[in-house]
Amino acid sequence: MYKYDQIDQQLVDERVAQYRDQVRRYLAGELSEDEFRPLRLQNGLYIQRHAPMLRIAVPYGMLSSRQLHKLADIATQYDRGYGHFSTRQNLQLNWPKLEDTPDILAELATVEMHAIQTSGNCIRNITTDQFAGVAPDEIIDPRAMAEVMRQWSTFHPEFALLPRKFKIAVSGTKQDRAIVQAHDIGMEFYRDAENKVAIKVWVGGGLGRTPILGTVIREHLEWQHALTYCEAIIRVYNLHGRRDNAYKARIKILAKALGIDEFRKQVEAEWLHLKDSPNTITEAELARVAQHFEAFDYASLPAHDASFDAAITSNAAFAAWAKRSVHPHKTSGYRAVTLSLKPHGKAPGDATSEQMHVIADLAAQYSFGELRVSHEQNLILADVKLSNLFAVWEKARAHGLATPNIGLLTDIICCPGGDFCSLANAKSIPIAQAIQMQFDNLDYLHDIGDIELNISGCMNACGHHHVGHIGILGVDKDGSEWYQVSIGGKQGNDASLATVIGPSFSAEEMPGVVQKLIEVYLKERSDEERFIDTVRRIGVAPFKAHVYATTAPKSEAAHV
Amino acid sequence: MSNLITQNEIVTDDWALVNLPEVDQEVRKQAGKVVLFKLTGENTISAEQIANTQIPATGKTLVPLSVYLARKNEFAPRIAKQEIGIWLATHETLENLTKAEPNLNIFPLIAVYVERFADGRIFSIGNLLRTRYGFNNTLRAFGDVLRDQLFFLKRSGFDSYLIRADRSAEEALQSLKDFSQPYQGAVDDKQPVWRRVNRGQNNVA
Ligand code: HEM
Ligand code: SF4
């Protein structure tokens, strides 16, 4: 993975000093609340229900063992001994003290980490596929470009205070795993007819209050122009995006208001001036960065391993885990492994300091000292030998990291919700826990098969409920918490937004409602059909009919 | 003491700022230009306001863009004396200015007013004035200008900053040096760091 040189290190060190002084000025009363807000947000510091929340950047989800050990230590020393991995591949601490945050950032800087631009109205952490570099279906490893873009976007002076936050995702696979269509800019790298690396650029996607999938603004962009083209897009947005209403300030609203053709015209006009300017990426610079992402020194191994095959046949629990948690790898004899941060009954995405140490050790011992965070809020060891999978499983299982539910109903994406977040309409973590307990039978879970259930505590959609096969949204009605259910959302190349099935439900009703949805699916599915396929084939109506026919009408139409 | 920083030094401000006369009606300035000009064609400044704006007869005078455009002939003799500068707010379009004055260097000073700290349009405006429209003279930011914007303002082509009256310009000077080797090319240094220094020889920290 990318290693800092003196220039990178100096920059984060200078950031710590700058932020330390900002906190000092704030505490001394030299900065008002309003003046401090944009400054702290650009360092990932939110002020939440109980305490501040600090969001630490994990650029495109890559972590080293050393970094994860440090994060675990920070969570122990400055927080309550756990952290929360987020859908944007970052790590959040829920209980730090404001006064400690400069020290936390200083600690992070010692392991080449920071919290720069993890919040605020600026270009945020650039996200990508958690299997980048190892996925068999990968055409281009997007990580070097993601790093080039990370550097370019860090303290970009022109885009330091945008109308609203700005999220970029990149991907280099046929099967999109980075939800590029749900980002302000999405970039899909591919090889063009001349076998050169090119980019398909999407713009104006986003979830939140007004969920919109992105539109293609350019089918073919030579990779050298990635930065200048983004500059053209973001300049048009910076100048013309709405600043009077935070809910209408995202680029998606501008692109819709102008229409994609007019928006494209303005971007292209701007780009004429920026194209070939010095921010054009050179072969040499890309190569310098790319060498950090070169393939590891893999052993040459046969495609099969006898000990692994034996363990699969003799140990049903291991086999169940392997079926869900082990993913193909480019290199013969290697696999990627997902460690589940979704044990039933715990807050999805949380990891204790102890677990983080265990995972860091596993990565050091079995996976070249690196790991990744997935936007599904799990951790990935990307380069494990087949022959080591059993050992990894045993150790992971001993620490609650091997729930065999990856991609299943209880692998829930869930935002912090009302337990932590001051914007919430309703709690989301207890709903996730209740559903996990309802479906605690593993055989049943495996029978239900691939399904994504996403929960957000309000329409800001941090839990991606719009693209969940089942989406749950917390709504507020006269001060009490209700949940609106939608189905048919999907991420990926054939992304779609979910349809609301009807009036909302109370918290106690929720596990039963999910149960009902599953019943319809199990009854209606044809061979090999996943939940989402069945919904797409038969539509929302049968689900709706079953759920509302049998659910006592505690809920009422007013709660839609 | 003066709160004006120009070229990294605190200097006295010898420009008289001319404001438009106040009006009662609400002016929708915070909205993006799309809303104001492209979609609704709404105008924020009335002809009456422009006509009623009082301009000092002599000395270095900083005139609102709208007034300058409407009453351009009045200013011609003083332009020759290098004593007319113009100022605009972040929601105003540069195209109106550059259509009327293809050569911006007739102005010794252009100032951009930022009403709220968080309004980052000022950075794009600075960039365009310098790189697209070739303005080479003093470019000033004023309004809600606090030290934590200065580094970005400098990189976006500004070289003069009128720090908000209740804050110390002396302290603000520090922030011009917040970062010693920024990553990307910008107005003040067009080269991104990888063209500026040989990072190949700069291995692991
Ligand atoms: C508890 C503190 C949090 C607060 C106050 C917060 C606030 C917000 C707000 C206001 C939005 C809507 C922005 C908009 O649409 O313009 C949003 C969107 C989002 N947040 Fe959070 N969030 C928090 C935690 C999280 C966490 C823990 C995650 C990851 C699990 C997350 C991931 C996201 C994502 C993916 C979006 C959707 C982005 C989009 O609209 O495209 N947030 N957040
Ligand atoms: S979706 Fe709403 S409740 Fe959940 S974290 Fe985001 S802002 Fe908070």
Side-chain angles (χ1 to χ4, degrees), chain A residues 41 46-49 53 55 84-92 94 119 121 124 164-165 167 179 182-184 205-212 246-250 252 348-349 375 377 413-417 420-424 455-456 458-464 466:
Chain A
L41 284 177
Y46 280 85
I47 304 293
Q48 282 307 310
R49 291 235 151 144
M53 176 204 87
R55 186 179 290 155
H84 175 78
F85 287 95
S86 86
T87 49
R88 302 212 70 256
Q89 303 180 307
N90 291 321
L91 178 78
Q92 297 190 170
N94 287 322
S119 184
N121 298 332
R124 304 285 191 84
R164 201 68 185 83
K165 60 179 165 185
K167 300 179 176 180
I179 0 182
H183 286 77
D184 296 282
L207 300 172
R209 233 166 239 259
T210 321
I212 301 178
Y247 297 117
K248 296 200 172 0
R250 295 284 293 272
K252 60 191 173 190
H375 78 261
Q377 307 180 276
I413 295 182
C414 179
C415 80
F420 297 101
C421 175
S422 45
L423 304 176
I455 309 177
S456 306
C458 77
M459 56 290 199
N460 286 318
C462 302
H464 291 180
H466 304 294

Side-chain angles (χ1 to χ4, degrees), chain A residues 499-546:
Chain A
T499 312
V500 176
I501 63 166
S504 344
F505 304 97
S506 67
E508 308 82 73
E509 292 173 289
M510 283 312 300
V513 169
V514 176
Q515 181 75 50
K516 294 267 153 37
L517 293 172
I518 297 301
E519 283 165 13
V520 176
Y521 160 65
L522 293 178
K523 180 158 153 278
E524 300 287 342
R525 73 175 162 191
S526 55
D527 299 344
E528 301 297 313
E529 223 179 30
R530 297 165 304 171
F531 179 86
I532 180 70
D533 304 321
T534 306
V535 175
R536 284 183 172 180
R537 182 169 55 79
I538 69 176
V540 174
F543 291 90
K544 186 172 171 160
H546 187 56

Side-chain angles (χ1 to χ4, degrees), chain A residues 252-374:
Chain A
K252 60 191 173 190
I253 307 287
L254 177 68
K256 279 273 181 271
L258 292 176
I260 187 66
D261 293 329
E262 171 61 21
F263 183 72
R264 180 184 295 116
K265 205 181 94 203
Q266 295 193 14
V267 168
E268 293 283 333
E270 207 52 58
W271 191 47
L272 275 184
H273 297 280
L274 291 165
K275 189 168 181 269
D276 299 321
S277 66
N279 282 340
T280 305
I281 307 165
T282 55
E283 297 268 0
E285 171 61 3
L286 185 65
R288 179 187 76 82
V289 176
Q291 69 190 358
H292 292 277
F293 299 99
E294 270 168 18
F296 292 118
D297 203 0
Y298 294 116
S300 67
L301 298 171
H304 288 276
D305 178 83
S307 69
F308 173 75
D309 293 341
I312 289 286
T313 25
S314 64
N315 188 327
F318 175 62
W321 175 79
K323 184 165 166 224
R324 300 309 317 184
S325 312
V326 173
H327 318 278
H329 194 289
K330 271 179 186 169
T331 311
S332 168
Y334 283 85
R335 293 290 185 275
V337 170
T338 302
L339 300 172
S340 173
L341 298 183
K342 315 286 179 67
H344 295 174
K346 295 268 167 54
D350 278 6
T352 63
S353 293
E354 187 216 329
Q355 287 178 320
M356 289 191 239
H357 283 304
V358 168
I359 297 167
D361 286 339
L362 281 173
Q365 196 175 349
Y366 298 113
S367 196
F368 298 91
E370 291 185 7
L371 49 124
R372 292 106 184 272
V373 185
S374 73

Side-chain angles (χ1 to χ4, degrees), chain B residues 12-30:
Chain B
T12 47
D13 189 358
D14 48 5
W15 285 85
L17 176 73
V18 175
N19 271 311
L20 290 155
E22 296 281 337
V23 281
D24 294 338
Q25 102 230 25
E26 166 120 6
V27 186
R28 291 177 54 197
K29 260 189 281 196
Q30 290 302 335

Side-chain angles (χ1 to χ4, degrees), chain A residues 4-5 8 10 14 18 22 25 30 35 151-152 154 158 161 235 238 270 278-280 285 288, chain B residues 34 117 120-121 124 127 132 147-148 164 167 178-180 183-185 190 192 194-195 199 202 205:
Chain A
Y4 281 11
D5 66 8
D8 303 296
Q10 183 177 27
E14 287 170 338
Q18 182 198 41
Q22 289 166 347
R25 283 184 273 142
E30 293 169 28
E35 289 161 3
Q151 299 192 11
W152 158 84
T154 301
E158 190 177 342
L161 294 165
R235 178 177 290 172
N238 189 39
E270 207 52 58
N279 282 340
T280 305
E285 171 61 3
R288 179 187 76 82
Chain B
V34 174
F117 177 93
R121 287 178 290 193
S124 287
N127 190 313
R132 180 94 27 103
R147 62 181 279 185
D148 297 290
R164 210 176 70 191
R167 294 298 151 86
D178 275 347
F179 300 99
S180 32
Y183 282 129
Q184 60 295 98
K190 305 230 172 7
W194 78 81
R195 294 185 198 260
R199 293 190 82 179
N202 223 307

Side-chain angles (χ1 to χ4, degrees), chain B residues 42-94:
Chain B
E42 202 170 326
N43 230 331
T44 54
I45 299 161
S46 70
E48 199 187 343
Q49 273 176 295
I50 289 173
N52 291 342
T53 304
Q54 302 296 319
I55 310 288
T58 55
K60 292 183 173 179
T61 308
L62 198 47
V63 181
L65 172 62
S66 52
V67 174
Y68 181 83
L69 293 177
R71 295 162 50 179
K72 198 175 144 181
N73 292 341
E74 248 176 80
F75 297 105
R78 295 180 62 192
I79 285 278
K81 285 198 269 174
Q82 292 271 304
E83 58 177 38
I84 296 296
I86 50 162
W87 71 267
L88 64 145
T90 49
H91 67 283
E92 296 184 83
T93 39
L94 287 174

